[in-house]
């Protein structure tokens, strides 16, 4: 039996699920100005994935990298959701 697909599917599901609260917390504490951190992390993970010999682990690291890239878009969307009142704004952050 080959469990690679199942491992990748479960990993992608968990990684995407983990990035939702990360984006919410990042926007709350840092605002959208932290987008470059996600960009650098995404580039780092994608480059790292190129040098990993194990296909499953390389794929998981690649999913993390592209989840970082997707989080940049979600940061800007999260700011809109905060403005709509769907999520709390950080009262200590200057506008």
């Amino acid at each position: 039996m080959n469990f690679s697909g199942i491992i990748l599917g479960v990993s992608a599901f968990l990684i995407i699920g983990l990035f939702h609260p990360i984006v919410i917390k990042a926007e709350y504490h840092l605002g959208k100005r932290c987008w470059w951190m996600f960009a650098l992390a995404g580039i780092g993970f994608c480059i790292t994935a190129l040098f990993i010999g194990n296909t499953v682990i390389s794929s998981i690291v690649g999913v993390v990298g592209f989840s970082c890239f997707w989080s940049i878009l979600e940061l800007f969307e999260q700011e809109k959701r905060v403005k709509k009142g769907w999520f709390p704004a950080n009262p200590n952050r200057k506008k």
Side-chain angles (χ1 to χ4, degrees), residues 35-53:
W35 69 268
W36 61 271
M37 293 182 210
F38 285 103
L40 287 177
I43 292 168
F45 279 112
C46 287
I47 289 172
T48 302
L50 294 172
F51 294 100
I52 296 175

